[in-house]
Short mmCIF file of all heavy atoms in Angstrom, two decimals:
data_model
loop_
_atom_site.label_atom_id
_atom_site.label_comp_id
_atom_site.label_asym_id
_atom_site.label_seq_id
_atom_site.Cartn_x
_atom_site.Cartn_y
_atom_site.Cartn_z
N SER A 1136 1.86 6.88 3.79
CA SER A 1136 3.02 7.76 3.72
C SER A 1136 4.24 6.93 3.32
O SER A 1136 4.19 5.70 3.33
CB SER A 1136 3.27 8.47 5.05
OG SER A 1136 3.53 7.53 6.07
N GLY A 1137 5.31 7.62 2.96
CA GLY A 1137 6.57 6.94 2.68
C GLY A 1137 6.91 6.83 1.21
O GLY A 1137 7.98 6.33 0.86
N GLY A 1138 6.04 7.29 0.34
CA GLY A 1138 6.35 7.25 -1.08
C GLY A 1138 7.42 8.27 -1.45
O GLY A 1138 7.82 9.10 -0.64
N GLY A 1139 7.87 8.18 -2.69
CA GLY A 1139 8.87 9.12 -3.15
C GLY A 1139 9.55 8.64 -4.42
O GLY A 1139 9.09 7.70 -5.07
N LEU A 1140 10.64 9.30 -4.74
CA LEU A 1140 11.44 8.97 -5.92
C LEU A 1140 12.67 8.17 -5.48
O LEU A 1140 13.39 8.58 -4.55
CB LEU A 1140 11.89 10.25 -6.62
CG LEU A 1140 12.88 10.10 -7.79
CD1 LEU A 1140 12.25 9.31 -8.93
CD2 LEU A 1140 13.34 11.48 -8.26
N VAL A 1141 12.88 7.05 -6.13
CA VAL A 1141 14.01 6.19 -5.78
C VAL A 1141 14.60 5.63 -7.06
O VAL A 1141 13.90 5.44 -8.05
CB VAL A 1141 13.56 5.07 -4.81
CG1 VAL A 1141 12.55 4.16 -5.46
CG2 VAL A 1141 14.75 4.30 -4.25
N GLN A 1142 15.89 5.36 -7.03
CA GLN A 1142 16.55 4.77 -8.18
C GLN A 1142 16.28 3.28 -8.27
O GLN A 1142 15.99 2.64 -7.24
CB GLN A 1142 18.05 5.01 -8.10
CG GLN A 1142 18.47 6.46 -8.26
CD GLN A 1142 19.98 6.62 -8.31
OE1 GLN A 1142 20.74 5.73 -7.94
NE2 GLN A 1142 20.42 7.78 -8.79
N PRO A 1143 16.35 2.71 -9.45
CA PRO A 1143 16.19 1.25 -9.58
C PRO A 1143 17.17 0.53 -8.65
O PRO A 1143 18.33 0.91 -8.53
CB PRO A 1143 16.51 1.00 -11.04
CG PRO A 1143 16.13 2.27 -11.73
CD PRO A 1143 16.50 3.36 -10.77
N GLY A 1144 16.65 -0.51 -8.00
CA GLY A 1144 17.44 -1.24 -7.02
C GLY A 1144 17.34 -0.70 -5.62
O GLY A 1144 17.81 -1.35 -4.67
N GLY A 1145 16.72 0.45 -5.47
CA GLY A 1145 16.59 1.07 -4.16
C GLY A 1145 15.43 0.52 -3.36
O GLY A 1145 14.75 -0.43 -3.78
N SER A 1146 15.22 1.11 -2.19
CA SER A 1146 14.19 0.64 -1.26
C SER A 1146 13.35 1.81 -0.76
O SER A 1146 13.82 2.95 -0.67
CB SER A 1146 14.84 -0.06 -0.05
OG SER A 1146 15.57 -1.19 -0.44
N LEU A 1147 12.12 1.49 -0.41
CA LEU A 1147 11.22 2.41 0.27
C LEU A 1147 10.39 1.60 1.25
O LEU A 1147 10.14 0.41 1.03
CB LEU A 1147 10.28 3.11 -0.70
CG LEU A 1147 10.83 4.24 -1.57
CD1 LEU A 1147 9.76 4.68 -2.58
CD2 LEU A 1147 11.27 5.42 -0.73
N ARG A 1148 9.94 2.24 2.31
CA ARG A 1148 8.98 1.62 3.21
C ARG A 1148 7.75 2.50 3.28
O ARG A 1148 7.81 3.65 3.71
CB ARG A 1148 9.56 1.43 4.61
CG ARG A 1148 8.63 0.59 5.50
CD ARG A 1148 9.18 0.32 6.87
NE ARG A 1148 9.03 1.46 7.77
CZ ARG A 1148 9.03 1.38 9.09
NH1 ARG A 1148 9.18 0.20 9.68
NH2 ARG A 1148 8.92 2.46 9.84
N LEU A 1149 6.64 1.92 2.86
CA LEU A 1149 5.36 2.62 2.95
C LEU A 1149 4.70 2.28 4.28
O LEU A 1149 4.81 1.16 4.78
CB LEU A 1149 4.45 2.20 1.80
CG LEU A 1149 5.00 2.35 0.38
CD1 LEU A 1149 3.93 1.97 -0.63
CD2 LEU A 1149 5.51 3.75 0.13
N SER A 1150 3.99 3.27 4.80
CA SER A 1150 3.22 3.08 6.03
C SER A 1150 1.75 3.35 5.76
O SER A 1150 1.42 4.22 4.96
CB SER A 1150 3.72 4.03 7.13
OG SER A 1150 5.07 3.78 7.45
N CYS A 1151 0.91 2.61 6.44
CA CYS A 1151 -0.53 2.81 6.38
C CYS A 1151 -1.02 2.92 7.82
O CYS A 1151 -1.11 1.91 8.52
CB CYS A 1151 -1.19 1.64 5.66
SG CYS A 1151 -2.99 1.66 5.67
N ALA A 1152 -1.28 4.12 8.24
CA ALA A 1152 -1.72 4.38 9.62
C ALA A 1152 -3.24 4.41 9.67
O ALA A 1152 -3.89 5.13 8.90
CB ALA A 1152 -1.14 5.69 10.12
N ALA A 1153 -3.78 3.62 10.58
CA ALA A 1153 -5.23 3.52 10.71
C ALA A 1153 -5.72 4.29 11.94
O ALA A 1153 -5.06 4.30 12.98
CB ALA A 1153 -5.65 2.06 10.82
N SER A 1154 -6.88 4.89 11.80
CA SER A 1154 -7.53 5.53 12.94
C SER A 1154 -9.02 5.26 12.85
O SER A 1154 -9.56 5.03 11.77
CB SER A 1154 -7.25 7.03 12.96
OG SER A 1154 -7.74 7.65 11.79
N GLY A 1155 -9.67 5.26 14.01
CA GLY A 1155 -11.10 5.01 14.05
C GLY A 1155 -11.47 3.54 14.11
O GLY A 1155 -12.65 3.21 14.21
N PHE A 1156 -10.48 2.67 14.07
CA PHE A 1156 -10.73 1.24 14.20
C PHE A 1156 -9.40 0.57 14.55
O PHE A 1156 -8.33 1.17 14.42
CB PHE A 1156 -11.30 0.64 12.91
CG PHE A 1156 -10.32 0.59 11.76
CD1 PHE A 1156 -9.73 -0.60 11.38
CD2 PHE A 1156 -10.00 1.73 11.06
CE1 PHE A 1156 -8.83 -0.65 10.31
CE2 PHE A 1156 -9.10 1.71 10.00
CZ PHE A 1156 -8.52 0.51 9.63
N THR A 1157 -9.48 -0.66 15.00
CA THR A 1157 -8.26 -1.39 15.32
C THR A 1157 -7.99 -2.42 14.23
O THR A 1157 -8.89 -3.13 13.80
CB THR A 1157 -8.37 -2.09 16.69
OG1 THR A 1157 -9.55 -2.89 16.71
CG2 THR A 1157 -8.43 -1.07 17.81
N LEU A 1158 -6.74 -2.51 13.87
CA LEU A 1158 -6.36 -3.32 12.72
C LEU A 1158 -6.59 -4.81 12.92
O LEU A 1158 -6.72 -5.54 11.93
CB LEU A 1158 -4.88 -3.09 12.39
CG LEU A 1158 -4.52 -1.78 11.73
CD1 LEU A 1158 -3.02 -1.71 11.53
CD2 LEU A 1158 -5.24 -1.62 10.40
N ASP A 1159 -6.64 -5.27 14.15
CA ASP A 1159 -6.68 -6.72 14.36
C ASP A 1159 -7.99 -7.35 13.90
O ASP A 1159 -8.09 -8.57 13.83
CB ASP A 1159 -6.39 -7.06 15.82
CG ASP A 1159 -7.38 -6.42 16.78
OD1 ASP A 1159 -8.20 -5.60 16.32
OD2 ASP A 1159 -7.30 -6.73 17.98
N ARG A 1160 -8.98 -6.53 13.58
CA ARG A 1160 -10.24 -7.07 13.08
C ARG A 1160 -10.38 -6.87 11.57
O ARG A 1160 -11.47 -7.05 11.01
CB ARG A 1160 -11.42 -6.40 13.78
CG ARG A 1160 -11.48 -6.68 15.26
CD ARG A 1160 -11.83 -8.11 15.56
NE ARG A 1160 -13.16 -8.45 15.08
CZ ARG A 1160 -13.68 -9.68 15.17
NH1 ARG A 1160 -12.97 -10.66 15.70
NH2 ARG A 1160 -14.89 -9.92 14.73
N TYR A 1161 -9.28 -6.49 10.92
CA TYR A 1161 -9.33 -6.19 9.49
C TYR A 1161 -8.16 -6.83 8.76
O TYR A 1161 -7.05 -6.94 9.30
CB TYR A 1161 -9.27 -4.68 9.26
CG TYR A 1161 -10.54 -3.96 9.63
CD1 TYR A 1161 -10.84 -3.69 10.96
CD2 TYR A 1161 -11.45 -3.55 8.66
CE1 TYR A 1161 -12.01 -3.04 11.31
CE2 TYR A 1161 -12.61 -2.89 9.00
CZ TYR A 1161 -12.89 -2.64 10.31
OH TYR A 1161 -14.04 -1.99 10.65
N ALA A 1162 -8.42 -7.23 7.52
CA ALA A 1162 -7.33 -7.50 6.60
C ALA A 1162 -6.95 -6.18 5.94
O ALA A 1162 -7.82 -5.37 5.61
CB ALA A 1162 -7.75 -8.51 5.54
N ILE A 1163 -5.66 -5.97 5.79
CA ILE A 1163 -5.17 -4.75 5.15
C ILE A 1163 -4.43 -5.13 3.88
O ILE A 1163 -3.52 -5.97 3.90
CB ILE A 1163 -4.23 -3.96 6.07
CG1 ILE A 1163 -4.94 -3.59 7.37
CG2 ILE A 1163 -3.71 -2.72 5.34
CD1 ILE A 1163 -6.13 -2.66 7.19
N GLY A 1164 -4.85 -4.54 2.81
CA GLY A 1164 -4.21 -4.81 1.52
C GLY A 1164 -3.51 -3.58 0.98
O GLY A 1164 -3.92 -2.44 1.25
N TRP A 1165 -2.47 -3.82 0.24
CA TRP A 1165 -1.80 -2.77 -0.54
C TRP A 1165 -2.11 -3.01 -2.02
O TRP A 1165 -1.93 -4.13 -2.52
CB TRP A 1165 -0.29 -2.79 -0.33
CG TRP A 1165 0.16 -2.20 0.96
CD1 TRP A 1165 0.48 -2.87 2.10
CD2 TRP A 1165 0.37 -0.81 1.24
NE1 TRP A 1165 0.86 -1.98 3.07
CE2 TRP A 1165 0.81 -0.71 2.58
CE3 TRP A 1165 0.22 0.37 0.50
CZ2 TRP A 1165 1.10 0.51 3.19
CZ3 TRP A 1165 0.51 1.58 1.10
CH2 TRP A 1165 0.94 1.64 2.43
N PHE A 1166 -2.58 -1.98 -2.66
CA PHE A 1166 -2.87 -2.01 -4.08
C PHE A 1166 -2.02 -0.92 -4.75
O PHE A 1166 -1.55 0.01 -4.09
CB PHE A 1166 -4.35 -1.72 -4.34
CG PHE A 1166 -5.29 -2.78 -3.84
CD1 PHE A 1166 -5.61 -2.89 -2.49
CD2 PHE A 1166 -5.88 -3.68 -4.72
CE1 PHE A 1166 -6.48 -3.87 -2.03
CE2 PHE A 1166 -6.76 -4.65 -4.28
CZ PHE A 1166 -7.05 -4.75 -2.93
N ARG A 1167 -1.90 -1.03 -6.06
CA ARG A 1167 -1.21 0.04 -6.79
C ARG A 1167 -1.89 0.24 -8.13
O ARG A 1167 -2.52 -0.67 -8.67
CB ARG A 1167 0.26 -0.29 -6.99
CG ARG A 1167 0.56 -1.50 -7.86
CD ARG A 1167 2.06 -1.82 -7.85
NE ARG A 1167 2.38 -2.97 -8.67
CZ ARG A 1167 3.59 -3.52 -8.74
NH1 ARG A 1167 4.60 -3.01 -8.03
NH2 ARG A 1167 3.80 -4.57 -9.51
N GLN A 1168 -1.76 1.45 -8.63
CA GLN A 1168 -2.35 1.78 -9.92
C GLN A 1168 -1.45 2.75 -10.65
O GLN A 1168 -1.15 3.84 -10.16
CB GLN A 1168 -3.75 2.38 -9.75
CG GLN A 1168 -4.48 2.57 -11.05
CD GLN A 1168 -5.96 2.84 -10.85
OE1 GLN A 1168 -6.41 3.26 -9.78
NE2 GLN A 1168 -6.74 2.60 -11.89
N ALA A 1169 -1.00 2.31 -11.82
CA ALA A 1169 -0.18 3.15 -12.69
C ALA A 1169 -1.09 3.83 -13.71
O ALA A 1169 -2.18 3.32 -14.00
CB ALA A 1169 0.88 2.30 -13.38
N PRO A 1170 -0.65 4.95 -14.27
CA PRO A 1170 -1.49 5.65 -15.26
C PRO A 1170 -1.86 4.73 -16.42
O PRO A 1170 -1.02 4.05 -16.99
CB PRO A 1170 -0.57 6.78 -15.72
CG PRO A 1170 0.34 7.03 -14.58
CD PRO A 1170 0.58 5.68 -13.96
N GLY A 1171 -3.15 4.72 -16.74
CA GLY A 1171 -3.62 3.92 -17.86
C GLY A 1171 -3.76 2.44 -17.58
O GLY A 1171 -4.08 1.67 -18.49
N LYS A 1172 -3.50 2.04 -16.34
CA LYS A 1172 -3.59 0.62 -16.00
C LYS A 1172 -4.63 0.40 -14.90
O LYS A 1172 -4.99 1.32 -14.17
CB LYS A 1172 -2.22 0.10 -15.54
CG LYS A 1172 -1.17 0.11 -16.62
CD LYS A 1172 0.09 -0.59 -16.15
CE LYS A 1172 1.13 -0.67 -17.26
NZ LYS A 1172 2.37 -1.38 -16.81
N GLU A 1173 -5.08 -0.83 -14.80
CA GLU A 1173 -6.03 -1.19 -13.76
C GLU A 1173 -5.32 -1.29 -12.41
O GLU A 1173 -4.12 -1.57 -12.33
CB GLU A 1173 -6.71 -2.51 -14.10
CG GLU A 1173 -7.62 -2.44 -15.31
CD GLU A 1173 -8.43 -3.72 -15.50
OE1 GLU A 1173 -8.23 -4.67 -14.72
OE2 GLU A 1173 -9.26 -3.76 -16.42
N ARG A 1174 -6.09 -1.07 -11.37
CA ARG A 1174 -5.56 -1.23 -10.03
C ARG A 1174 -5.28 -2.71 -9.79
O ARG A 1174 -6.08 -3.57 -10.15
CB ARG A 1174 -6.56 -0.71 -9.01
CG ARG A 1174 -6.06 -0.68 -7.59
CD ARG A 1174 -7.02 0.09 -6.70
NE ARG A 1174 -7.12 1.50 -7.08
CZ ARG A 1174 -7.82 2.40 -6.41
NH1 ARG A 1174 -8.49 2.04 -5.32
NH2 ARG A 1174 -7.88 3.64 -6.82
N GLU A 1175 -4.14 -2.99 -9.18
CA GLU A 1175 -3.78 -4.38 -8.91
C GLU A 1175 -3.40 -4.55 -7.44
O GLU A 1175 -2.83 -3.65 -6.82
CB GLU A 1175 -2.63 -4.85 -9.80
CG GLU A 1175 -1.32 -4.14 -9.59
CD GLU A 1175 -0.17 -4.76 -10.37
OE1 GLU A 1175 -0.35 -5.88 -10.90
OE2 GLU A 1175 0.90 -4.14 -10.43
N GLY A 1176 -3.73 -5.71 -6.92
CA GLY A 1176 -3.36 -6.03 -5.55
C GLY A 1176 -1.92 -6.45 -5.47
O GLY A 1176 -1.44 -7.23 -6.29
N VAL A 1177 -1.21 -5.91 -4.49
CA VAL A 1177 0.21 -6.16 -4.34
C VAL A 1177 0.50 -7.09 -3.16
O VAL A 1177 1.26 -8.05 -3.29
CB VAL A 1177 0.96 -4.82 -4.16
CG1 VAL A 1177 2.44 -5.07 -3.88
CG2 VAL A 1177 0.78 -3.93 -5.37
N ALA A 1178 -0.10 -6.80 -2.03
CA ALA A 1178 0.17 -7.58 -0.83
C ALA A 1178 -1.00 -7.41 0.13
O ALA A 1178 -1.74 -6.43 0.06
CB ALA A 1178 1.47 -7.15 -0.16
N CYS A 1179 -1.12 -8.36 1.03
CA CYS A 1179 -2.22 -8.32 2.00
C CYS A 1179 -1.80 -9.07 3.25
O CYS A 1179 -1.03 -10.05 3.18
CB CYS A 1179 -3.46 -8.95 1.38
SG CYS A 1179 -4.91 -9.05 2.47
#
């Protein structure tokens, strides 16, 4: 959650809420994919 429309120079905070498991036993990555482009890893 947390996506939206923002002007250049602005900020957003995305959230990734997990259920059914606890995060401390997992690495969590953020990926992104733009139209016509390959999915790329952003942060982990």
Side-chain angles (χ1 to χ4, degrees):
S1136 61
L1140 173 64
V1141 63
Q1142 292 186 344
S1146 298
L1147 284 173
R1148 189 178 79 158
L1149 305 184
S1150 298
C1151 173
S1154 61
F1156 69 105
T1157 53
L1158 286 177
D1159 59 353
R1160 296 291 296 177
Y1161 288 78
I1163 302 297
W1165 283 98
F1166 293 77
R1167 64 187 180 186
Q1168 188 166 20
K1172 295 188 176 181
E1173 293 188 357
R1174 186 169 297 184
E1175 65 172 348
V1177 175
C1179 178

